[in-house]
Amino acid sequence: EAELFRATLDHDVADLVAVVRDERPDLVGISMTTRQWLRGRSLIAGLRESVDVPVIAGGLHPTFAPESVLASPGFDYVCLGEGEGALLDLVAALALGERTDTIANIWARGGVRPGMRPPWSPIDSLPWLARDLLDEYSGLVHMTTQRGCPFPCTYCAARMYDELYESKGEDYGRRRSVASVMAELEAIAAKRRIAYAIFLDDTFTIHHPWVREFCDAYGPRIGAPFSLHARVETVSERLLGELAAAGCTHITYGVESGSPRVRRDVMKRFASNERFKDVFRWTREAGISVTANYMLGMPEETRDDLQMTLDLAAELNAFDFAYFVFYPYPGTHLFHLCRDRGYLPADWLFRPANHRESILTLPTLGQADIAEFYDRFTDLRAEVHRRRGGASSFVYDEASCG
């Protein structure tokens, strides 16, 4: 059995202690990105001061900074990479009182780094999400159809899962069959109305034959509006029309920078500005709303590059856009670049990762430059919303940042 406690900003250590004491679990698990690391570390340290219960950490940050997690008070285990099979083995070992330091993917405090088990296969055999534990209201449904990403973006932590497994001779990229996705959606629809579906895949539009098979099935069998994430290299006018006909009403694209040099040389993103302009136009002409993501404060970025990004954002004229100050996630290529070139402070693990201030010391941009352009992006977004007669509340979407 499992229960989920969502630790929002309104919860403190006392709330977590109360829940754990009430539920009396045999194991506590916490999933963390790097941006959640400081808060997660604080909550677990406080929990273990009051309750003696083993704790395992998983997710992006524990996978790519496991030593720092295991060195922090309260953490007994880290799960590296995929956790479904590994966690089952750990729970079974704890229940039987057996050793836990020989389980693939599970790094025990005081033990040695474990070997990695192959990615779960076939992926269609994975159980569906336990939706009774999710916060899905008013007909909202969250779906995933694949794991892995074939693109070499240097800033994205999600891509590093692929490289983690590739280093072991395994292929991490897998996609569920359309039949599996439709079966899960129809099972949900049999219990409650699906008003809107959000597909969480990093790039939904990989492999057009799969996408077209999905569109042919989804439209007549589900028909609810849906949103997805895509790259401009992976769509065409025809495909966008087919997605719209199936019910797609919103697509988020990661633009990241308006500087072709920064995208190409720093990010390893090779689409041109003209490609972005064409795809944004095609998407709007298909009747699909567009959101764009941008990053500021990249290594080797200059004020001129930031101006190009601001200019492109204005020209693309997305329905909405989000913007973030770059943070070097552990394990990524840009993390290693920032560390090796001295841009990363020695105490980076203890500095909060927020969306508007950089922790880096960059030779080409100062903190004042980044703050100025962050404010100019804020002004541009407010102006876009004023022109449309809408509110300017911030839409948070970190998909393209990993």
Side-chain angles (χ1 to χ4, degrees):
E1 294 183 1
E3 294 292 338
L4 176 67
F5 174 65
R6 188 179 300 280
T8 70
L9 294 177
D10 295 326
H11 295 112
D12 57 17
V13 171
D15 296 318
L16 178 58
V17 169
V19 169
V20 172
R21 283 178 171 165
D22 184 56
E23 296 291 341
R24 301 177 62 189
D26 297 307
L27 179 69
V28 170
I30 180 170
S31 179
M32 293 179 289
T33 66
T34 298
R35 292 188 185 273
Q36 297 165 329
W37 159 238
L38 289 182
R39 175 164 164 75
R41 185 187 65 171
S42 175
L43 288 173
I44 293 303
L47 171 67
R48 293 301 295 276
E49 288 178 358
S50 300
V51 183
D52 184 19
V53 58
V55 173
I56 181 169
L60 286 166
H61 187 81
T63 292
F64 296 109
E67 295 92 345
S68 63
V69 176
L70 289 172
S72 299
F75 294 97
D76 301 284
Y77 306 98
V78 158
C79 180
L80 306 177
E82 284 190 343
E84 288 90 353
L87 193 59
L88 284 175
D89 288 350
L90 176 61
V91 169
L94 290 172
L96 296 172
E98 297 177 346
R99 293 180 60 181
T100 59
D101 59 351
T102 58
I103 301 172
N105 293 44
I106 301 295
W107 194 343
R109 178 190 287 269
V112 298
R113 186 182 181 101
M116 297 292 293
R117 66 187 67 207
W120 189 292
S121 182
I123 196 169
D124 278 2
S125 68
L126 268 176
W128 297 336
L129 293 175
R131 295 190 181 274
D132 58 312
L133 301 181
L134 301 183
D135 294 332
E136 293 184 321
Y137 304 110
S138 304
L140 180 65
V141 170
H142 298 84
M143 292 290 297
T144 61
T145 75
Q146 61 185 325
R147 292 185 180 180
C149 177
F151 299 103
C153 304
T154 55
Y155 53 86
C156 181
R159 165 63 191 166
M160 299 316 299
Y161 272 104
D162 293 77
E163 297 195 12
L164 174 68
Y165 282 92
E166 286 168 3
S167 69
K168 308 299 181 183
E170 301 285 352
D171 185 3
Y172 184 68
R174 294 146 293 154
R175 192 162 209 171
R176 297 168 61 184
S177 66
V178 171
S180 169
V181 174
M182 293 305 302
E184 183 176 9
L185 285 165
E186 290 180 328
I188 297 168
K191 295 180 179 178
R192 59 184 173 91
R193 180 179 69 97
I194 298 177
Y196 193 79
I198 300 176
F199 288 89
L200 302 172
D201 308 325
D202 291 321
T203 306
F204 185 87
T205 46
I206 295 173
H207 191 54
H208 287 193
W210 189 98
V211 179
R212 291 195 168 99
E213 182 185 351
F214 167 83
C215 289
D216 289 343
Y218 184 93
R221 292 166 62 179
I222 303 299
F226 65 92
S227 71
L228 57 89
H229 301 273
R231 292 170 66 107
V232 295
E233 309 97 307
T234 65
V235 299
S236 63
E237 282 188 89
R238 175 189 169 191
L239 189 72
L240 289 166
E242 291 169 323
L243 285 164
C248 181
T249 59
H250 176 253
I251 294 178
T252 297
Y253 294 107
V255 182
E256 316 311 355
S257 175
S259 165
R261 180 191 67 84
V262 170
R263 279 202 312 270
R264 180 188 63 249
D265 296 344
V266 179
M267 299 178 171
K268 304 305 179 188
R269 295 286 304 270
F270 303 107
S272 67
N273 283 1
E274 290 306 311
R275 178 67 180 183
F276 281 104
K277 295 172 190 177
D278 288 342
V279 169
F280 275 50
R281 185 182 73 255
W282 298 341
T283 306
R284 284 192 292 266
E285 289 173 351
I288 300 173
S289 178
V290 182
T291 292
N293 287 334
Y294 301 96
M295 285 193 285
L296 297 75
M298 301 296 297
E300 321 311 334
E301 192 172 44
T302 67
R303 285 183 61 90
D304 287 344
D305 294 318
L306 285 175
Q307 186 63 55
M308 291 181 198
T309 303
L310 189 66
D311 291 343
L312 183 61
E315 187 172 358
L316 290 177
N317 192 30
F319 180 80
D320 200 0
F321 62 85
Y323 45 103
F324 314 92
V325 172
F326 168 72
Y327 184 94
Y329 293 120
T332 62
H333 293 276
L334 283 186
F335 173 86
H336 294 295
L337 181 147
C338 291
R339 184 188 60 189
D340 295 345
R341 295 187 181 180
Y343 304 162
L344 190 70
D347 62 347
W348 65 272
L349 266 173
F350 305 97
R351 296 196 183 192
N354 65 56
H355 294 294
R356 63 172 302 144
E357 295 178 356
S358 177
I359 69 167
L360 302 176
T361 300
L362 298 171
T364 54
L365 280 177
Q367 295 290 353
D369 298 315
I370 296 171
E372 174 192 333
F373 276 91
Y374 190 95
D375 289 342
R376 291 174 66 184
F377 265 93
T378 302
D379 292 342
L380 174 62
R381 187 169 184 270
E383 176 59 27
V384 168
H385 279 256
R386 277 194 294 270
R387 288 201 304 265
R388 294 199 172 98
S392 58
S393 59
F394 188 74
V395 174
Y396 175 82
D397 186 339
E398 200 180 1
S400 68
C401 301

